[in-house]
């Protein structure tokens, strides 16, 4: 078969009779009937081509019916991809020891000759990449079953919705998708061939002790022109669940063409005085507190990972792309995460991945309350305390990127607007990362452009276990979205600037930093302090609290924080804490500006000019402040001068 003809149909919009006969033979009567109820030639051709290439032993078409969804769940147990745990409807899945996170090195865009997304974005020549991936896919599903599932990104029947189909030979991936995304078979039926849709093809490849064996041939290739993603020889959710970060890359590309935004953001309702709710989005790199922020007690969650943003009537509206959570489990404890703690200990459909499972089929993770068991099964299989891997590294009982997957309907704090097809109107945007020494715990930018440039486009964070590779290295990560960008960084920043211009009243942009450390390397804030920062931002967004103007933005006044700490956490917030946390660190801020400017100058040829202007102005303000007050300036000094 000609490689370039894969998944394509002729100009007439019809598929050749051969396609339907392939489907009829390969699918079996019942599944064939389910498929052709969707009148979509492109879909039929895509499925026929890849069924032929991957050559599965059987094909299951999953409709939205409870029986089909149950079948997927049962398949996950039958195939051994998930094992039952002691608590009803809890299961566990293990990925391979070296397949525990997103593989950014082997995730590449298939780009035609002459197209370049810049040095920060991984790409391969399209023809070469397709040839490679097609050869890896050939007969890869022999003796295995292929599951074909339909989903809708964003609420169904909405301007925001994006339909997509996933082909996978992993019942775990299919099951996870069922928990995480709105079902889309009926949506596909309703739309017929009227709308473009995303296509994902995933194959685990050969398995060894239940894990993808050929991880040296792990590949995740993204074809932006065809809205298609291929993922091979891997199981980890971030590499395989098409609708998550793979769809995100396609959606960023689509959004850029259509003037809306796809962001790596939570979406939550912050509950202000008098019972009002203000919706905020927040972008943080993975493993930096995004889920725990959106799950804070007293507030309501719309989503914890991905949003689509559109402008309606001059206002910014947002939806959660998902309906479930694929969350980091490390560190969840009864004190700081009471809502999740309860859910994770109650019956209900939850897939735990890469945690420790004890003999009595209970699960443990790093940072869980109670004593750590001395043995069990984990991502290295049989584990005993002190076990080392082949490189001599001690294996923790649970992987730092171990996760839980659940449908948000299990939570008691879900915002009632979750499925509103109109989305919610957003009142504020937050950017945050792992920053040990520069940003104060919370700060508001001067305006939209200042926020986009000095907060979003300047975001840096120490690397974590969410991606393979070296940890704790400070890395540039604009809008916490760099690993997923499918357009150049310059265009992406420009889109944000344009978005702000189209808003009637641009909303405030904030930064937070939960990871500020003192000279002993200790965190300066308690994990619960974020509750205070959120309430303060809500008040600022409503213009109900004054702030102190500094060279880098607006920070809270001491008296407001003192009141909020007392009311929310029952804590006496001291002047010493305020000074320690909110001191303006001029040398660190200046070094950051230097680093960021250098990156944009050297690596982003189409950087909007305004970025250099805004950073230049910030640098001058900081230098002037240093002359007046010295390198480290107390917030009280800044308040006096304001
Ligand atoms: C992240 O790493 O940002 C996640 C999980 O949300 S993953 O699906 O791996 O992207
Ligand atoms: Mn994420």
């Amino acid at each position: 078969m000609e490689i370039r003809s894969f998944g394509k149909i002729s100009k007439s919009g019809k598929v050749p009779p051969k396609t339907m006969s392939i489907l009829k033979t390969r699918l079996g009567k019942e599944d064939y009937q389910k498929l052709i109820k969707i009148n979509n030639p492109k879909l039929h051709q895509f499925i026929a081509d890849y069924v032929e290439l991957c050559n599965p032993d059987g094909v299951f078409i999953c409709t939205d019916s409870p029986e089909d969804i149950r079948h997927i769940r049962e398949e996950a147990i039958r195939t051994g991809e998930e094992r039952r745990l002691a608590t009803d409807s809890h299961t566990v899945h293990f990925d391979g020891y070296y397949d525990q996170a997103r593989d950014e090195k082997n995730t590449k865009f298939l780009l035609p000759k002459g197209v370049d997304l810049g040095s920060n974005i991984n790409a391969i020549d399209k023809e070469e990449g397709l040839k490679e991936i097609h050869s890896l896919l050939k007969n890869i599903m022999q003796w295995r079953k292929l599951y074909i599932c339909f989903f809708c990104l964003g609420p169904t029947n909405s301007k925001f919705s994006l339909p997509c189909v996933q082909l996978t030979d992993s019942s775990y991936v299919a099951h996870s998708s069922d928990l995480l995304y709105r079902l889309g078979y009926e949506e596909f039926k309703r739309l017929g061939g009227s709308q473009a849709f995303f296509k994902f093809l995933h194959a685990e490849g050969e398995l060894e002790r239940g894990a993808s064996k050929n991880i040296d041939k792990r590949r995740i290739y993204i074809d932006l022109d065809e809205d298609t993603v291929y993922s091979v020889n891997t199981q980890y959710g971030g590499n395989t669940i098409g609708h998550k970060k793979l769809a995100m890359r396609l959606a960023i590309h689509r959004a850029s063409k259509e003037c809306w935004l796809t962001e790596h953001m939570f979406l939550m309702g912050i509950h202000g005085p008098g019972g009002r709710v203000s919706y905020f989005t927040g972008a943080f790199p993975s493993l930096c507190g995004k889920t725990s922020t959106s799950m804070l007690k007293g507030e309501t969650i719309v989503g914890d990972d991905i949003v689509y943003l559109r402008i309606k009537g001059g206002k910014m509206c947002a939806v959660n792309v998902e309906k479930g959570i694929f969350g980091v489990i490390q560190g969840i404890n009864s004190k700081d995460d009471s809502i999740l703690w309860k859910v994770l200990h109650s019956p209900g459909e939850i897939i735990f991945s890469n945690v420790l499972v004890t003999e009595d089929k209970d699960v443990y993770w790093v940072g869980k309350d109670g004593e750590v068991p001395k043995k069990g099964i984990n991502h290295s299989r049989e584990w005993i305390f002190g076990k080392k891997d082949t490189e001599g590294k001690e294996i923790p009982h649970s992987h730092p990127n171990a996760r839980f997957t659940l449908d948000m309907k299990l939570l008691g704090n879900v915002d009632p607007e979750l499925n509103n097809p109109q989305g919610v109107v957003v009142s504020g945007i937050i950017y945050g990362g792992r920053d040990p020494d520069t940003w104060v715990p919370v700060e508001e930018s001067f305006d939209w452009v200042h926020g986009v440039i000095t907060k979003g486009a300047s975001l840096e964070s120490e690397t974590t276990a969410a991606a393979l590779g070296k940890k704790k290295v400070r890395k540039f990560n604009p809008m916490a979205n760099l690993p997923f960008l499918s357009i150049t960084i310059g265009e992406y920043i420009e889109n944000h600037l344009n978005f702000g211009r189209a808003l009637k009243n641009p909303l405030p942009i904030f930064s937070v930093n939960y990871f500020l450390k003192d000279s002993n390397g200790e965190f300066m804030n308690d994990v619960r302090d974020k509750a205070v920062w959120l309430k303060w931002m809500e008040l600022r967004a409503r213009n109900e609290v004054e702030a102190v103007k500094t060279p880098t933005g607006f920070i809270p006044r001491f008296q407001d924080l003192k009141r909020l700490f007392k009311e929310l956490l029952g804590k006496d917030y001291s002047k010493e804490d305020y000074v320690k946390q909110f001191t303006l660190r001029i040398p660190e801020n200046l070094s950051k500006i230097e680093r960021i400017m250098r990156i944009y100058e050297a690596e982003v040829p189409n950087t909007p000019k305004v970025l250099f202007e805004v950073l230049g102005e910030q640098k001058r303000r900081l230098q002037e402040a240093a002359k007046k007050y010295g390198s480290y300036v107390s917030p009280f000094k800044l308040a006096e001068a304001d």
Side-chain angles (χ1 to χ4, degrees):
M1 210 185 297
E2 232 302 289
I3 296 245
R4 281 193 157 273
S5 74
F6 269 71
K8 292 248 174 84
I9 55 171
S10 69
K11 285 214 171 71
S12 73
K14 291 208 179 99
V15 295
K18 189 169 160 248
T19 300
M20 297 324 274
S21 93
I22 292 169
L23 290 172
K24 218 174 210 162
T25 331
R26 289 290 196 149
L27 265 56
K29 205 164 153 205
E30 203 184 314
D31 289 283
Y32 179 73
Q33 286 304 326
K34 287 194 219 167
L35 180 61
I36 60 164
K37 283 207 179 111
I38 301 171
N39 181 13
N40 187 333
K42 267 196 176 152
L43 173 75
H44 296 161
Q45 191 64 50
F46 179 75
I47 293 176
D49 284 346
Y50 285 101
V51 165
E52 281 259 280
L53 183 71
C54 301
N55 195 14
D57 209 19
V59 180
F60 178 71
I61 300 284
C62 189
T63 71
D64 300 347
S65 77
E67 301 81 65
D68 283 4
I69 304 299
R70 188 176 342 113
H71 178 71
I72 296 281
R73 204 160 56 225
E74 286 165 1
E75 283 290 277
I77 299 290
R78 183 190 65 79
T79 56
E81 290 214 47
E82 290 173 34
R83 308 173 200 187
R84 285 205 174 89
L85 294 166
T87 307
D88 185 35
S89 301
H90 287 195
T91 58
V92 64
H93 163 83
F94 292 111
D95 299 305
Y97 188 72
Y98 293 104
D99 192 24
Q100 294 285 318
R102 278 186 280 104
D103 181 359
E104 292 179 355
K105 202 170 116 240
N106 286 304
T107 302
K108 297 180 186 172
F109 291 98
L110 299 167
L111 297 185
K113 293 204 171 33
V115 180
D116 181 11
L117 293 179
S119 58
N120 283 283
I121 298 175
N122 216 357
I124 181 171
D125 173 70
K126 180 160 167 172
E127 247 176 74
E128 188 192 320
L130 274 177
K131 208 161 143 193
E132 182 190 7
I133 204 91
H134 282 154
S135 91
L136 289 171
L137 286 167
K138 197 162 171 59
N139 290 326
I140 199 167
M141 294 183 190
Q142 239 176 349
W143 321 119
R144 301 174 59 82
K145 207 161 182 177
L146 168 64
Y147 307 95
I148 300 185
C149 311
F150 304 89
F151 297 97
C152 180
L153 301 177
T156 51
N157 217 343
S158 148
K159 173 113 176 108
F160 288 94
S161 22
L162 289 177
C164 43
V165 61
Q166 170 129 35
L167 279 60
T168 176
D169 61 354
S170 162
S171 43
Y172 157 70
V173 168
H175 183 200
S176 299
S177 304
D178 284 342
L179 297 180
L180 293 172
Y181 299 92
R182 287 134 177 139
L183 302 177
Y185 176 77
E186 291 302 325
E187 188 84 347
F188 264 84
K189 262 173 57 187
R190 188 174 67 77
L191 293 168
S194 68
Q195 203 174 309
F197 59 98
F198 292 168
K199 309 179 265 309
F200 309 108
L201 173 60
H202 163 244
E204 299 184 313
E206 207 182 321
L207 299 181
E208 189 173 61
R209 303 177 75 198
S212 294
K213 182 180 165 197
N214 302 316
I215 51 162
D216 56 321
K217 297 198 184 77
R218 177 170 51 203
R219 299 287 182 271
I220 300 120
Y221 285 176
I222 303 141
D223 187 339
L224 295 171
D225 296 331
E226 299 298 329
D227 277 337
T228 304
V229 184
Y230 308 88
S231 162
V232 189
N233 292 317
T234 172
Q235 290 170 307
Y236 170 68
N239 295 327
T240 58
I241 301 169
H243 324 87
K244 212 163 178 63
K245 296 310 191 322
L246 311 182
M248 192 159 153
R249 292 167 170 98
L250 299 179
I252 288 172
H253 187 246
R254 169 89 64 94
S256 179
K257 287 195 285 192
E258 297 174 355
C259 299
W260 48 280
L261 297 173
T262 298
E263 296 300 316
H264 191 203
M265 285 175 165
F266 69 63
L267 176 58
M268 68 186 292
I270 305 182
H271 293 236
R276 73 173 179 224
V277 181
S278 307
Y279 291 96
F280 272 64
T281 61
F284 300 53
S286 316
L287 262 156
C288 291
K290 206 145 58 55
T291 305
S292 63
T293 304
S294 61
M295 289 291 300
L296 268 181
K297 209 170 165 190
E299 319 296 5
T300 44
I301 178 170
V302 187
D304 86 318
D305 201 31
I306 309 169
V307 299
Y308 295 155
L309 304 173
R310 284 177 180 267
I311 296 174
K312 263 198 291 183
K315 293 186 170 148
M316 179 166 133
C317 295
V319 295
N320 178 12
V321 170
E322 316 179 279
K323 64 144 171 123
I325 297 181
F326 177 54
V328 174
I329 204 161
Q330 174 161 313
I332 290 181
N333 63 69
S334 58
K335 192 171 104 219
D336 302 325
D337 311 274
S338 54
I339 301 172
L340 271 176
W341 178 265
K342 187 156 166 258
V343 173
L344 294 175
H345 289 84
S346 309
E349 213 174 327
I350 302 176
I351 311 171
F352 293 85
S353 51
N354 306 316
V355 293
L356 177 73
V357 178
T358 59
E359 243 168 9
D360 50 2
K361 296 194 167 52
D362 198 1
V363 292
Y364 274 81
W365 56 82
V366 175
K368 183 178 175 175
D369 307 24
E371 209 180 311
V372 180
K374 294 278 175 283
K375 61 179 183 154
I377 309 282
N378 75 357
H379 58 294
S380 73
R381 306 314 184 244
E382 287 79 25
W383 176 86
I384 51 164
F385 181 77
K387 180 177 174 184
K388 298 208 164 79
D389 66 14
T390 46
E391 290 142 66
K393 252 179 52 198
E394 189 159 332
I395 303 172
H397 58 284
S398 165
H399 192 274
N401 197 29
R403 293 193 175 242
F404 61 91
T405 305
L406 52 79
D407 186 319
M408 291 205 299
K409 71 182 179 202
L410 291 189
L411 307 175
N413 59 334
V414 177
D415 192 274
E417 299 298 325
L418 169 63
N419 292 314
N420 187 341
Q422 309 296 326
V424 295
V425 174
V426 180
S427 302
I429 298 176
I430 308 170
Y431 291 104
R434 272 179 197 264
D435 166 9
D437 57 16
T438 309
W439 278 358
V440 292
V442 64
E443 183 175 62
E444 182 188 345
S445 52
F446 297 127
D447 54 39
W448 180 271
V449 175
H450 181 250
V452 166
I453 306 288
T454 68
K455 308 291 188 201
S458 300
L459 196 67
E460 296 174 291
S461 192
E462 289 180 343
T463 50
T464 68
L468 301 173
K470 221 166 164 231
K471 314 292 180 271
K472 291 197 176 162
V473 181
R474 179 148 38 194
K475 224 176 141 194
F476 166 67
N477 190 352
M479 279 80 177
N481 219 357
L482 181 62
F484 317 112
L485 285 192
S486 48
I487 54 176
T488 62
I489 299 174
E491 270 173 280
Y492 179 65
I493 308 287
E494 191 74 60
N495 290 348
H496 277 258
L497 294 169
N498 288 337
F499 201 82
R501 275 181 212 119
L503 291 168
K504 253 196 216 128
N505 297 309
L507 34 147
I509 297 179
F510 299 89
S511 60
V512 292
N513 183 9
Y514 303 158
F515 300 93
L516 198 57
K517 287 182 180 166
D518 62 19
S519 49
N520 300 321
E522 301 288 330
F523 288 120
M524 281 198 198
N525 289 97
D526 187 88
V527 285
R528 281 172 299 165
D529 293 358
K530 53 169 99 68
V532 172
W533 317 144
L534 286 187
K535 294 291 197 212
W536 181 78
M537 288 186 273
E538 200 273 342
L539 293 172
R540 282 297 292 169
R542 300 274 184 162
N543 257 324
E544 288 183 7
V545 72
E546 298 284 313
V548 178
K549 192 169 183 192
T550 83
T552 52
F554 297 108
I555 59 168
R557 297 184 305 185
F558 172 67
Q559 62 265 43
D560 299 318
L561 290 185
K562 189 165 177 61
R563 176 178 64 80
L564 288 170
F565 266 98
K566 192 78 195 166
E567 279 173 18
L568 292 161
L569 305 173
K571 264 197 207 174
D572 286 317
Y573 189 61
S574 68
K575 285 189 172 162
E576 291 70 43
D577 274 345
Y578 178 63
V579 170
K580 263 200 327 211
Q581 295 164 11
F582 285 90
T583 282
L584 173 66
R585 297 163 185 81
I586 295 178
E588 285 81 355
N589 270 284
L590 286 173
S591 315
K592 180 181 174 75
I593 292 176
E594 292 301 317
R595 280 196 303 275
I596 299 296
M597 289 244 213
R598 211 174 314 126
I599 294 173
Y600 280 100
E601 268 160 12
E603 299 170 25
V604 186
N606 56 350
T607 301
K609 242 179 65 215
V610 66
L611 181 136
F612 298 110
E613 289 162 14
V614 169
L615 290 178
E617 283 159 16
Q618 183 126 318
K619 183 174 164 180
R620 274 191 295 282
R621 281 193 301 272
L622 285 161
Q623 285 167 335
E624 271 166 35
K627 265 194 230 145
K628 250 198 221 158
Y629 308 113
S631 294
Y632 295 90
V633 194
S634 154
F636 286 116
K637 250 247 149 69
L638 293 162
E640 263 170 45
D642 186 10

